[in-house]
Amino acid sequence: MAKGFNVLFVTSEVFPYSKTGGLADVSNSLPQALNSLGNDVRIISPKYGQLDERRLQIHEIKRLKELKIDVNGKDAKFSIKSSFIHGKNTKAQMYLLESNDYFKNKGIYQNSKTKKDFSNNDERYLFFCKAVIEILEILQWKPDVIHCNDWQTGLIPAFIKTIYKNNPYLNDIKTVFTIHNLAYQGNFPKTSFEKTGMPDSVLTEKGGLHFGQFSYLKTGLNYADKISTVSQKYSEEIRTNKEYGCGLEDVLNGRKKDIMGILNGIDYSIWNPTVDKLIPYRYTYQEVPLKYENKRELLEKYKIEYDEDIPLIGVISRLVDQKGFDLIEKIIPQLMKEDVKLIILGIGEEKYHKFLKKIEKKYSSKLAVHIGFDEELAHHIEAASDMFLMPSKYEPCGLNQMYSLKYGTVPIVRNTGGLSDTIIDYRKPKGNGFLFDKYDPNDLMKAIKSALVLFKDKNKWNKLVREGMSLDFSWKVSAQKYMKLYKEVSSK
Ligand code: ADP
Ligand code: GLC
C-alpha cells in the first residue's frame, strides 16, 4: 500500500455535530474510510453555538486555548477543541473551532432565532479559513494536503498561494477542493474582499471576481491544486451545460485536467436497516417483511390508515428549488387521486412550508408532512417507505437514493448528476429504480405511475427491492480514488 497521507479535511458541517445536508454525512464517513486505508485524516469544523460539549464529548486542548489572529484589522479570539468520530472499527480526530466572535450564536449558515442567513457570513468563513491555516504550526502536525469542501473553505487555497507563500512551514502544503454544490457560491460585495488582506490580483477574473462580486467558490476553484466533484456525471454537466455551470463553466473548463468526479460513498454502519438503531424494526435482506412493520408504525404515528398493498412514497429533503418541489407541487392533485400514501420530511424555503401545510390539511388521510430537521424520522422514513422520491433539478451526488436502495425503498429519481450514476432503469439488467429525463411534471408523474403499476406485481417488485439491497455503495472504491488524487497532487 502507498504511504499514507496526512490530510486536514476542512468542512462547514459534520454529522453528528452539525448538519443541514449530505456534506455532513460525507465529512463524517470519508475521513474514516481514508483512515482505514492507512492515512491520517483529521477534520476541522466550526463549533457552532448549538453544539452540546457533553453530549458530543468535546474537550479542551490546553495548548490550543485563547489563540488570536488578525481578521480585518481586529483581533479574533478562538480556541480549538478536540473530539473523535467513531465507526465500527474506524475513527477520526475532530477539531472544533470555538470563537465567541464568530460562532457563538445558534445556527450553521442561518441564525436559528431570525431564520435568516448570518449577515457576517463573509467574515465568519474568512475567519474560519484563516484560522485553519494559522493553527497548523501550533498543532505540530503538518498535513500533506488540505482538503477543502464547498465555498465556506474557498479562501484557503488562495491564502496559501498569496499571503502565506513565503512561510516555509505552509507553502508546500497542497490543496484539494471538492465541489458538493456549485450553486452555493459564497458571493459577497467587493468590499468583503478588502477584509481578506489578499493582494488585488485575487480580485480578478482569474481569481475570485465573479459577475462583479467576490466569490469564495470561484476563488477556491482558481487556486486549488486539484478539484473534485461528488459524481462523474455532475463533473461533466457543470462544464458542458450552462444550467448546471452557474456561470463557472469557463473556469471549470480551464481546469478540466485537474477535475475528477468521485462518487460519494455511504456509511453502512449508520445507514443500514440491519444495524440501524433509529428504526423500530431492524431487518436484513432475508427479512424484508419486517420492513412493513416500520411502515405500519410510521403511518399509525401520523394517523394514516395502514395497508400493506398501498404503496408509501417517502421524501426527505432540504426544501429548496434544487430538489424539484415545484414539480411535486404540480403533480400533487393528480398523485393524490392514485392509490398511494405520501410522507414528506423537510425544512427550507418558506414558500414550500406553506405549500406543504396546505396539502397536509387537504389530503390528511393519505399524506403526512413534517416540517423540521429530524434525523430519527429520516431513518424511519427510509425504512418504512416502499418508494423514495427525488425529482431533483440538479443533483451533484445525492445520498438519499443510495440510502433508500439499502433499505429496500425503490428510488424514483430524475436522470441527472449522481442520481444518473447510481440508479438504473427498472427495465434494464440490474435495474434498481425509476428514472425520468425531462424536468417536467408529466414525465415525473409517468415515472411514478410506472412504479405504482410494478408495485402490484409482487414478484417483480420484490426482485427490484432485493436488487437495490444487494448493492454496495460503501466508500471502498471512492476512498481509493481520493487517495489517488492526494497522490497526484502531492506527487508522493
Ligand atoms: P443534500 O446534501 O443536497 O441535501 P443529500 O441527498 O446528499 O442531499 O443528503 C441529504 C442528507 O440530509 C441525508 O442524510 C438526509 O437524510 C438528510 N436530510 C435532509 N433533510 C432532512 C430533514 N429535514 N431531516 C433530517 N434529515 C434530513
Ligand atoms: C450537496 C449536494 C448533494 C451531495 C452532497 C454531499 O449538498 O446537493 O447532491 O450528495 O452535497 O456531497
Side-chain angles (χ1 to χ4, degrees), residues 19 21-22 25 316-318 323 345-346 372-374 398-400 403:
K19 175 168 174 178
D25 289 0
I316 303 163
S317 184
R318 290 183 295 116
K323 300 293 180 178
L345 164 64
F373 195 93
D374 189 328
L399 300 177
N400 276 117
Y403 298 155

Side-chain angles (χ1 to χ4, degrees), residues 93-338:
Q93 166 76 59
M94 171 85 191
Y95 295 119
L96 290 140
L97 197 157
E98 179 184 77
S99 164
N100 277 340
D101 294 329
Y102 291 105
F103 298 123
K104 191 177 176 205
N105 292 327
K106 291 185 180 162
I108 301 177
Y109 314 118
Q110 292 187 340
N111 188 319
S112 306
K113 264 197 205 141
T114 63
K115 311 260 185 286
K116 296 222 162 72
D117 281 4
F118 285 109
S119 59
N120 65 341
N121 266 341
D122 60 341
E123 226 174 287
R124 290 170 85 227
Y125 291 105
L126 156 64
F127 159 70
F128 179 52
C129 290
K130 205 167 174 189
V132 164
I133 299 175
E134 294 231 356
I135 58 158
L136 291 177
E137 270 184 274
I138 319 170
L139 209 53
Q140 291 162 19
W141 172 82
K142 183 171 170 172
D144 302 300
V145 179
I146 301 181
H147 188 152
C148 303
N149 295 278
D150 277 353
W151 74 262
Q152 293 84 356
T153 63
L155 301 188
I156 290 176
F159 274 140
I160 300 258
K161 291 208 171 114
T162 59
I163 52 180
Y164 297 100
K165 74 169 188 256
N166 295 321
N167 179 322
Y169 189 81
L170 300 170
N171 62 8
D172 62 342
I173 297 176
K174 304 296 184 200
T175 53
V176 165
F177 187 92
T178 298
I179 305 165
H180 295 264
N181 198 327
L182 199 70
Y184 294 83
Q185 304 189 335
N187 296 334
F188 299 102
K190 282 184 188 170
T191 44
S192 297
F193 175 74
E194 288 155 22
K195 303 179 187 175
T196 67
M198 285 196 275
D200 289 347
S201 55
V202 179
L203 193 63
T204 60
E205 284 298 331
K206 287 196 157 47
L209 187 63
H210 190 44
F211 298 106
Q213 289 194 295
F214 174 47
S215 166
Y216 281 36
L217 177 66
K218 188 171 175 182
T219 307
L221 296 178
N222 273 322
Y223 282 91
D225 294 305
K226 290 272 179 196
I227 298 167
S228 73
T229 67
V230 288
S231 69
Q232 180 61 36
K233 180 79 186 264
Y234 188 63
S235 77
E236 289 153 21
E237 286 170 339
I238 54 178
R239 282 191 303 99
T240 54
N241 185 328
K242 275 209 169 104
E243 246 180 78
Y244 294 94
C246 307
L248 291 163
E249 306 86 82
D250 290 348
V251 180
L252 293 163
N253 276 312
R255 300 226 48 192
K256 189 174 168 193
K257 67 171 189 7
D258 292 320
I259 303 182
M260 194 167 171
I262 306 176
L263 188 73
N264 283 333
I266 64 174
D267 185 340
Y268 288 127
S269 69
I270 297 179
W271 290 98
N272 179 350
T274 311
V275 298
D276 192 335
K277 294 199 181 71
L278 299 179
I279 61 175
Y281 299 90
R282 292 192 269 283
Y283 55 97
T284 62
Y285 184 89
Q286 282 82 23
E287 299 164 330
V288 177
L290 272 177
K291 184 173 168 56
Y292 295 108
E293 296 304 316
N294 289 304
K295 177 171 166 182
R296 181 198 301 277
E297 198 159 315
L298 184 68
L299 289 175
E300 275 171 6
K301 184 173 159 190
Y302 287 93
K303 305 199 169 37
I304 295 177
E305 197 188 328
Y306 169 77
D307 183 339
E308 186 182 319
D309 294 326
I310 298 182
L312 171 65
I313 303 180
V315 178
I316 303 163
S317 184
R318 290 183 295 116
L319 302 176
V320 292
D321 295 343
Q322 171 193 350
K323 300 293 180 178
F325 278 89
D326 54 336
L327 293 191
I328 295 183
E329 198 164 350
K330 288 191 184 113
I331 64 157
I332 279 289
Q334 207 185 338
L335 180 61
M336 288 294 101
K337 285 190 191 131
E338 302 285 334

Side-chain angles (χ1 to χ4, degrees), residues 13 15 19-26 180-181 184 230 264 271 315-320 322-323 344-348 370-379 382 388 390 392 394-403 419:
E13 46 184 285
F15 178 78
K19 175 168 174 178
T20 68
L23 172 62
D25 289 0
V26 171
H180 295 264
N181 198 327
Y184 294 83
V230 288
N264 283 333
W271 290 98
V315 178
I316 303 163
S317 184
R318 290 183 295 116
L319 302 176
V320 292
Q322 171 193 350
K323 300 293 180 178
I344 303 178
L345 164 64
I347 184 159
H370 185 107
I371 292 174
F373 195 93
D374 189 328
E375 190 73 25
E376 188 170 338
L377 182 58
H379 283 250
E382 283 292 4
F388 192 87
M390 228 169 147
S392 308
Y394 70 93
E395 197 59 75
C397 178
L399 300 177
N400 276 117
Q401 82 281 12
M402 293 191 268
Y403 298 155
L419 299 172

Side-chain angles (χ1 to χ4, degrees), residues 9-105:
F9 193 88
V10 192
T11 174
S12 55
E13 46 184 285
V14 188
F15 178 78
Y17 305 87
S18 49
K19 175 168 174 178
T20 68
L23 172 62
D25 289 0
V26 171
S27 300
N28 172 302
S29 54
L30 172 59
Q32 293 191 69
L34 285 163
N35 286 348
S36 68
L37 295 175
N39 302 289
D40 184 0
V41 183
R42 304 183 185 188
I43 308 155
I44 185 159
S45 194
K47 184 174 159 273
Y48 300 108
Q50 70 277 17
L51 269 69
D52 180 336
E53 291 200 3
R54 273 204 22 209
R55 188 177 68 80
L56 294 162
Q57 301 195 19
I58 300 171
H59 305 286
E60 274 184 11
I61 311 176
K62 281 222 169 73
R63 78 198 147 76
L64 297 178
K65 262 174 77 175
E66 289 161 24
L67 308 170
K68 63 174 186 236
I69 56 170
D70 174 89
V71 177
N72 194 23
K74 293 174 289 196
D75 271 348
K77 294 186 215 67
F78 67 101
S79 301
I80 304 289
K81 295 195 163 174
S82 168
S83 184
F84 283 93
I85 286 176
H86 290 273
K88 205 169 154 213
N89 297 309
T90 51
K91 70 173 184 178
Q93 166 76 59
M94 171 85 191
Y95 295 119
L96 290 140
L97 197 157
E98 179 184 77
S99 164
N100 277 340
D101 294 329
Y102 291 105
F103 298 123
K104 191 177 176 205
N105 292 327

